[in-house]
Amino acid sequence: MDHPIAPAGITRRRALTVTGGMLAGAALAGHAFPAFAGESQDADAIVVGHGLAGLVATAELAAAGRKVLLLDQEPEASLGGQAFWSFGGLFFVDSEEQRLMGVKDNHDLAWQDWLGSAGFDRGVADPAGQDHWAYKWAEAYVDFASGEKRSWLAGLGVQWFPIVGWAERGGGLADGHGNSVPRFHVTWGTGPAVVEPFEKKVRAAVAAGKAGFRFRHRVDGIVTTGGAVSGVRGAVLEPSSAARGKPSSRTVIGEFELRAPVVVVTSGGIGANHDLVRQNWPARLGAPPKSMVTGVPAHVDGRMLAITERAGGRIVNPDRMWHYTEGLRNYDPIWPGHGIRILPGPSSMWFDATGKRFGAPDLPGYDTLHTLGSITASGYDYSWFVTTQKIIAKEFALSGSEQNPDLTNKNVWQLLSRIWQTPEPIEKFKKNGADFVVAGTLSELVAGMNKLTGDNLIDLARLKAQIEARDREMDNPYSKDVQVMGIRNALSYIGDSLSRTAPAHKILDPSAGPLIAVRLNVLTRKTLGGLQTDLSGRVLGPSGEPVPGLYAAGEVAGFGGGGVHGYRSLEGTFLGGCLFSGRQAGRAAAAATAT
C-alpha cells in the first residue's frame, strides 16, 4: 500500500485546516460563475437528489445567499431519502458519550482502524489513481469525526443515546479491519432526527425565496455548454400520492430544462438495482447471489451515475460495495423485496446453509464482507443463526427507524422496557417473519430449518456436535473458542453488558430457550465507489481535471472522493459521509458562484 507522506512539521489536522481555508479559493480559481442573473439562468445552483447529502448541500448554498433548486424524481413524501429510514448511527471519535462509557479513543487510533479497514491499494500517491482522492477524503473525514462533527450537529439540536455501540469489531489484528473501540452513536430520534435540522433549513430557505423544490423532476441529462455545466434536463413525472418509501409512478407528463452554472449530484447509490449490483459484483466476493433482499427503496436505482459519467465525470472503484449478511424478509414490506438487517450481538452461533459453523472472523458483528465472501463460497445465498430467546431478547436489534419506535419517537419508557422484555419489533418478526424457526428441542429446530428451505441440508447429529462443543467451552471463564472469547470481551465493556450482550450461557440450556434458528439473506445496501471528487466535491474527469460546474456528494460520490471507505466500512460512516461531503460540496459551490 502506498501512502503519501506529509512534510515534516505538518500534522494531518493542520493540513486539513489549511486545506479547508483554501477550498473556496481553489474553487474560484478553477471556475468563476456569475450570481443569480434573472432571465439568463433559473438558479445559481441545482442540486439533484433530495436525500441527506442534497439537503445539506442545499442548506449551505442557501445560507451563503445563493438561489438553489432541489430536484428529485420522488414526491415530497420521500424528502430525506434513505437517511430517514436509517438507524441514525454516527461515527464519532473521543466523544462525550464514549468517555461516559469509559472508552478511551483518539484520532490516531481511529485513523489506524480506518486504514486497516479501507485497505487503499489503487494508486494512493498517484493523482490519477482511483484511491488518490479517497485517501485524502478519509484523512479529512477522520479529522472531522475527531473534531467539529459532534459539536456542529449538537449545535443544530441533534442528541445521541448515551450507550455507544461496538460495530464491526474486525478480523483479529490491531492494525487490521474493525473498530478497536465502540464508536457507533445512535441518534436520539434515529434517522428522522438526523434529517430534521437540514430539512428545516431548506424549508426555511424555500419560504424566504432562496430555494425551490422541484419534486417529480427526473433528471435525464446534465447540460454542458462550451465544456462547462450549464444546467439539467429531464422529464416531469405525474403527481404521486405514494407514501414515503413506496414505489412511485414513472409516467411522464412533460419535459423540463433548467439552467444554472453549478449542478451538485447527490442521487445516492445502486442498492435497489440488483442488475447493477450483480454487474459490479467483485470476483473477490465470489459469485453474486441469485437471491437477495433489498435494504433501500426502489428509487435508489443508480441512474445518475451513468448520466454524470456522460457529462464528463469519472467513476472509480465500482466494485466496492457494502451489503449485509443478516437480512430478513420483511413480513410487512414498504418497498419491493424489502429487507431488514439484524444488528446482532456476539452470542448467536453462525452456520452456513449446510450446517457448518463459520470460524473467525465470520462471527456476528465482526467482519461483514469477509462473512459475505464465506457465504457465497458455500455455494448458497443464505446462512443461519442458531440462538436462544435469552440471546435475541438482549442482543437483537433491527436496522431502520421504523423498527425502533422507542428510539425514533424518543419514548424513554418504551426504551427502558427493553430491560425486562424482548422489544416488540423483534417479537413480531419472530412470530410473523418468514425466516424464523422456533422450537423447544434441537431435533424440532432442525426439522423446522429443513422444512423452511425445503432442501434437507441440516444434519441433526452434525449440528448437535458443533453446538455441544461450543457449550463445553462455557464451563470456564476462559476458552480457546474465538467466539466465546469475544463474548467475554464484550461483557467487559459496560455498554455491551448493559444493553447488547446476553449473560454467557449454553445454547442448549433449557432455561435460555426456546431455541431459535434464523435464516439470513444477503441484503443489498451501500455503494462504496462512485464519482471521483476532490476535497471541494468537484467531480473529476478521466484526466483528473475538474468538470467545470459539476459537483457530487453522498453515496453517488462514494461518500467522498469516489470511495472514502476503501474496501470496508467502520459503520456509522454512511450518514456521516453524506453530512460531510454535502457540506463540503455546498460550501465550495457557494464560493464558486460568488461575485
Side-chain angles (χ1 to χ4, degrees):
M1 189 186 303
D2 49 346
H3 298 285
I5 305 300
I10 299 180
T11 66
R12 281 192 296 271
R13 194 173 297 265
R14 173 59 181 159
L16 180 65
T17 301
V18 173
T19 301
M22 295 173 63
L23 285 178
L28 281 166
H31 201 86
F33 305 108
F36 181 58
E39 294 301 319
S40 65
Q41 59 193 49
D42 296 291
D44 296 314
I46 292 169
V47 178
V48 182
H50 67 198
L52 181 59
L55 288 171
V56 174
T58 300
E60 292 291 342
L61 282 157
R66 306 295 175 265
K67 182 176 176 64
V68 55
L69 296 177
L70 179 56
L71 281 60
D72 201 283
Q73 65 185 349
E74 294 305 301
E76 184 173 3
S78 286
L79 189 65
Q82 297 178 64
F84 181 92
W85 297 106
S86 75
F87 198 29
L90 291 169
F91 174 98
F92 296 131
V93 178
D94 192 26
S95 68
E96 293 180 19
E97 290 78 15
Q98 285 176 302
R99 292 193 291 273
L100 178 67
M101 291 285 101
V103 175
K104 296 178 181 180
D105 198 11
N106 59 62
H107 174 278
D108 289 347
L109 183 61
W111 182 236
Q112 171 183 299
D113 288 347
W114 196 286
L115 287 181
S117 300
F120 294 120
D121 61 1
R122 296 175 176 174
V124 170
D126 178 2
Q130 294 187 76
D131 279 340
H132 181 73
W133 286 103
Y135 183 96
K136 291 180 180 293
W137 271 93
E139 282 190 302
Y141 183 74
V142 173
D143 281 348
F144 177 61
S146 305
E148 65 172 316
K149 179 182 177 183
R150 187 188 180 284
S151 60
W152 174 57
L153 292 171
L156 296 173
V158 183
Q159 298 176 306
W160 296 276
F161 183 58
I163 297 178
V164 184
W166 195 356
E168 282 298 296
R169 304 181 191 208
L173 294 176
D175 59 355
H177 170 55
N179 283 295
S180 296
V181 297
R183 296 192 178 104
F184 191 81
H185 297 67
V186 177
T187 302
W188 186 233
T190 66
V194 179
V195 171
E196 182 181 13
F198 302 100
E199 179 180 343
K200 284 183 176 178
K201 284 178 176 288
V202 173
R203 289 194 183 278
V206 171
K210 297 178 181 179
F213 289 123
R214 296 292 186 273
F215 303 113
R216 305 297 283 157
H217 279 56
R218 185 187 70 198
V219 173
D220 296 327
I222 295 171
V223 181
T224 58
T225 304
V229 164
S230 57
V232 297
R233 60 173 176 79
V236 179
L237 306 179
E238 68 177 353
S240 172
S241 59
R244 181 185 293 275
K246 291 284 188 180
S248 62
S249 163
R250 290 294 179 261
T251 300
V252 175
I253 60 172
E255 297 179 347
F256 72 90
E257 183 166 331
L258 294 168
R259 298 156 296 170
V262 161
V263 172
V264 185
V265 180
T266 60
S267 55
I270 66 173
N273 189 332
H274 288 197
D275 289 339
L276 271 182
V277 169
R278 293 189 179 97
Q279 178 182 316
N280 291 287
W281 192 270
R284 64 183 177 274
L285 292 180
K290 295 183 176 64
S291 174
M292 297 181 285
V293 292
T294 308
V296 292
H299 60 76
V300 186
D301 53 21
R303 291 182 68 256
M304 284 303 300
L305 280 162
I307 290 168
T308 310
E309 186 177 35
R310 288 196 292 271
R314 181 191 185 195
I315 297 173
V316 295
N317 301 313
D319 62 324
R320 292 181 182 168
M321 50 187 70
W322 191 255
H323 305 306
Y324 290 110
T325 50
E326 312 98 333
L328 303 174
R329 300 173 195 276
N330 195 340
Y331 66 89
D332 186 19
I334 296 171
W335 52 80
H338 189 175
I340 294 293
R341 184 203 173 197
I342 297 172
L343 285 70
S347 302
S348 297
M349 295 186 70
W350 206 336
F351 299 87
D352 71 13
T354 69
K356 179 183 178 182
R357 187 185 179 193
F358 288 126
D362 302 330
L363 307 171
Y366 277 73
D367 192 331
T368 293
L369 287 197
H370 191 281
T371 307
L372 179 57
S374 296
I375 291 170
T376 57
S378 75
Y380 296 89
D381 296 343
Y382 66 93
S383 60
W384 290 100
F385 275 168
V386 173
T387 188
T388 67
Q389 181 68 34
K390 191 172 185 177
I391 290 172
I392 74 163
K394 192 162 187 179
E395 296 193 5
F396 274 26
L398 300 174
S399 63
S401 53
E402 81 283 9
Q403 298 298 331
N404 295 275
D406 48 358
L407 290 163
T408 301
N409 298 325
K410 304 181 181 180
N411 187 319
V412 176
W413 176 252
Q414 193 175 12
L415 180 65
L416 290 174
S417 72
R418 294 189 184 212
I419 296 172
W420 61 82
Q421 65 181 14
T422 307
E424 184 180 7
I426 300 291
E427 282 297 321
K428 284 185 175 180
F429 261 93
K430 192 181 82 173
K431 178 182 178 182
N432 302 313
D435 297 304
F436 280 77
V437 179
V438 182
T441 66
L442 188 60
S443 61
E444 293 171 336
L445 190 76
V446 169
M449 294 165 74
N450 285 329
K451 181 179 179 181
L452 179 62
T453 60
D455 50 23
N456 293 315
L457 292 174
I458 308 297
D459 178 76
L460 173 60
R462 184 187 186 199
L463 189 71
K464 182 180 180 182
Q466 294 174 91
I467 296 173
E468 287 180 337
R470 178 266 190 199
D471 280 358
R472 292 187 190 101
E473 299 290 314
M474 306 305 293
D475 290 334
N476 293 289
Y478 42 84
S479 172
K480 73 174 183 180
D481 188 285
V482 174
Q483 184 176 10
V484 174
M485 287 191 279
I487 295 168
R488 309 276 191 204
N489 190 36
L491 289 169
S492 70
Y493 165 51
I494 188 172
D496 275 355
S497 64
L498 284 173
S499 67
R500 292 289 286 139
T501 305
H505 64 276
K506 296 182 178 183
I507 297 294
L508 297 180
D509 179 357
S511 69
L515 290 169
I516 300 166
V518 188
R519 179 178 58 184
L520 305 173
N521 309 276
V522 175
L523 175 77
T524 63
R525 187 61 69 85
K526 296 298 180 187
T527 310
L528 297 188
L531 298 167
Q532 191 171 42
T533 59
D534 65 12
L535 284 174
S536 296
R538 296 183 297 179
V539 175
L540 306 178
S543 67
E545 293 297 316
V547 179
L550 189 57
Y551 294 74
E555 189 175 353
V556 75
F559 302 94
V564 67
H565 298 93
Y567 287 95
R568 296 180 182 88
S569 166
L570 287 174
E571 292 288 16
T573 56
F574 299 130
L575 290 178
C578 290
L579 292 166
F580 184 54
S581 62
R583 192 177 79 157
Q584 291 285 89
R587 290 181 177 182
T593 50
T595 54

